[in-house]
Amino acid sequence: MSNMTFAEYLISKKIDGSAFQKAEPERFDEWQKVFEQVHPESFTAQKKFLINPTRRKYTLAETQDSKK
C-alpha cells in the first residue's frame, strides 16, 4: 500500500486541494474517504473521467510567486 496522502495525491495531479475543498466540500470528503481505502492507482482508475475536469476547475498554481 502506498504511503501517499490525499493532499500529496492532489498535488501530483496538479489540483489545488484547498480550493477544491472550499468549493466542493462534499465531493472532496467523498474522494478523500475512497482514497484512504484504496491504492492511488486504483483511485485514479475509479475517478479517471473526473480528475481532468476537477484539475481544470482547481488548477494548482505551482509558480504563482514567480509570476509576480
Side-chain angles (χ1 to χ4, degrees):
M1 207 64 162
S2 174
N3 291 332
M4 179 182 282
T5 66
F6 186 58
E8 292 169 337
Y9 176 81
L10 292 176
I11 291 169
S12 76
K13 297 297 180 186
K14 297 181 173 52
I15 297 173
D16 184 335
S18 60
F20 179 27
Q21 187 174 23
K22 283 181 190 175
E24 298 183 57
E26 291 172 359
R27 181 187 271 195
F28 181 91
D29 291 342
E30 174 194 334
W31 282 25
Q32 188 170 24
K33 286 175 187 168
V34 172
F35 182 84
E36 291 170 357
Q37 296 173 8
V38 300
H39 190 277
E41 291 176 15
S42 296
F43 182 84
T44 301
Q46 288 180 30
K47 305 297 183 191
K48 186 173 186 168
F49 297 104
L50 299 173
I51 291 172
N52 279 335
T54 302
R55 178 182 13 241
R56 286 186 208 106
K57 285 168 97 174
Y58 312 111
T59 302
L60 184 63
E62 295 177 83
T63 57
Q64 191 173 23
D65 291 333
S66 65
K67 291 180 182 178
K68 292 180 181 178

